[in-house]
Amino acid sequence: MSTQPIPFTPDLAVKPEVVAFFDEPTNTISYIVKDPNSDACAVIDSVMDFDYASGNIAYEGADKIIGHIMDNGWALEWLIETHVHADHLSAAPYIQSKLGGKLGIGDQICVVQDTFGKIFNEGTEFQRDGSQFDRLFKDGDGYQIAL
Amino acid sequence: MTAHTLFTPGHTPADMVHVIGDAVFVGNTLFMPDGGSARADFPGGDARTLYQSIQRLLTLPGEMRLFMCHDYGPNGRDIQWETTVAEERDHNIHVGHGTSEDEFVKMREERDSTLSMPKLIIPSLQVNMRAGQLPPPEDDGKTYLKVPINGLNTSKDQ
């Protein structure tokens, strides 16, 4: 098997501002990545606080990300999930409810939804077509983080 | 600015790396050079596919900034999350120095067989497969998560 070529030309002249947020309980790093030429930004792999022992959820970590975006007057264009994480719960819908933006993931999410739909014996109301997301990315797809 | 996606399956069947200017968000493919690579033993994961995805990622220009999704501070060092393509090519303990596909697969599968499941895998999957939404409430208006007993069978012959 040969390595697939990169289907686009990276533009190394564009140097986005990257702000990292470390979630200690799950060792996850979430990011804000900001367009150097406008106030547009994206959030990558956010984390919802979940205490398994109590079943309680919270949004302290997500609120820090929201606060940073609001304090700087940035506009959230995208919420990106790099994949269906198995070690933390996403806070993307919470952040989206506060700041807007479109939620995107890879189009092979449908395979993952099919696998885990079976494992968790989900009923027919659980759609396995990725329709819970606003955008399903294919390999090499481009999208704009700009105003 | 324009962002681009790179399909990088292996850890799961749906992993995407996002390339935004000179910054690359690697998701669960690589870790920091001293942390190696993501595991490939969850349902739908595959070590050989992960190797190919990592090789593809490492054909990006060497000076590009790489941002990790996870860091566990191996050997007691402080948490780090940023490196470069060149650093990973030269120093990654799992794929650096021209590690072959077969060597990687053997190492990855042996290592994965020793790892326990992540503490939050069962709640995480049920929420994240719904784009981060909780399951619909039951007839008492409350939301519940399930635990499948012996259901998260991660053996390769499933």
Side-chain angles (χ1 to χ4, degrees):
Chain A
M1 205 170 132
S2 60
T3 305
Q4 295 289 309
I6 304 290
F8 53 86
T9 306
D11 186 356
L12 276 61
V14 175
K15 298 185 190 305
E17 182 177 343
V18 178
V19 187
F21 297 83
F22 181 66
D23 180 64
E24 199 168 330
T26 66
N27 288 79
T28 304
I29 302 112
S30 306
Y31 297 98
I32 304 172
V33 50
K34 187 202 159 268
D35 179 16
N37 299 312
S38 76
D39 284 330
C41 68
V43 167
I44 300 180
D45 290 335
S46 60
V47 177
M48 175 166 79
D49 309 326
F50 181 68
D51 180 47
Y52 211 160
S54 67
N56 291 341
I57 62 171
Y59 297 102
E60 275 179 44
D63 282 336
K64 284 182 192 154
I65 295 174
I66 292 168
H68 194 92
I69 292 172
M70 292 182 75
D71 290 349
N72 286 281
W74 294 348
L76 182 60
E77 299 287 289
W78 287 95
L79 299 116
I80 300 298
E81 295 290 318
T82 56
H83 62 291
V84 174
H85 301 277
D87 58 356
H88 68 268
L89 286 66
S90 170
Y94 174 76
I95 297 174
Q96 188 178 36
S97 74
K98 303 286 183 191
L99 297 178
K102 294 177 288 290
L103 178 50
I105 198 166
D107 64 353
Q108 296 304 301
I109 176 70
C110 306
V111 176
V112 177
Q113 288 178 326
D114 190 50
T115 300
F116 293 111
K118 283 180 188 140
I119 286 176
F120 290 103
N121 192 30
E122 297 292 344
T124 48
E125 78 282 359
F126 175 59
Q127 299 288 317
R128 295 143 206 233
D129 57 2
S131 56
Q132 300 89 343
F133 295 83
D134 300 311
R135 171 83 182 261
L136 300 181
F137 296 113
K138 291 184 167 51
D139 186 40
D141 271 359
Y143 61 99
Q144 291 299 314
I145 306 171
L147 293 176
Chain B
M1 62 183 171
T2 304
H4 285 101
T5 58
L6 206 52
F7 181 44
T8 52
H11 171 65
T12 78
D15 285 62
M16 284 276 184
V17 164
H18 289 254
V19 180
I20 309 175
D22 73 331
V24 184
F25 298 88
V26 303
N28 279 30
T29 52
L30 289 169
F31 294 149
M32 291 297 288
D34 61 353
S37 59
R39 64 196 294 174
D41 61 332
F42 297 155
D46 183 73
R48 205 163 285 279
T49 307
L50 179 61
Y51 180 86
Q52 289 294 334
S53 291
I54 290 172
Q55 293 306 312
R56 188 183 195 208
L57 176 57
L58 293 180
T59 63
L60 287 166
E63 65 268 39
M64 292 190 85
R65 294 182 285 163
L66 296 188
F67 293 93
M68 307 298 113
C69 184
H70 292 291
D71 187 68
Y72 302 91
N75 306 310
R77 73 147 162 73
D78 289 343
I79 298 295
Q80 298 175 359
W81 48 74
E82 181 177 348
T83 182
T84 64
V85 172
E87 284 291 315
E88 293 281 18
R89 271 187 217 141
D90 292 343
H91 301 298
N92 187 286
I93 57 167
H94 291 171
V95 297
H97 327 283
T99 308
S100 76
E101 181 170 321
D102 287 343
E103 287 168 338
F104 175 81
V105 170
K106 184 167 183 291
M107 175 285 303
R108 190 67 266 168
E109 290 180 350
E110 280 175 8
R111 181 165 161 71
D112 286 347
S113 69
T114 70
L115 300 175
S116 51
M117 284 291 115
K119 200 168 62 175
L120 296 183
I121 186 169
I122 284 175
S124 296
L125 291 171
Q126 290 174 82
V127 169
N128 295 337
M129 72 183 185
R130 294 179 160 85
Q133 302 283 354
L134 296 167
E138 297 194 3
D139 55 10
D140 63 356
K142 292 179 186 165
T143 300
Y144 297 82
L145 293 166
K146 292 179 180 177
V147 178
I149 303 302
N150 293 332
L152 202 65
N153 186 350
T154 53
S155 69
K156 300 292 181 204
D157 58 0
Q158 188 185 20

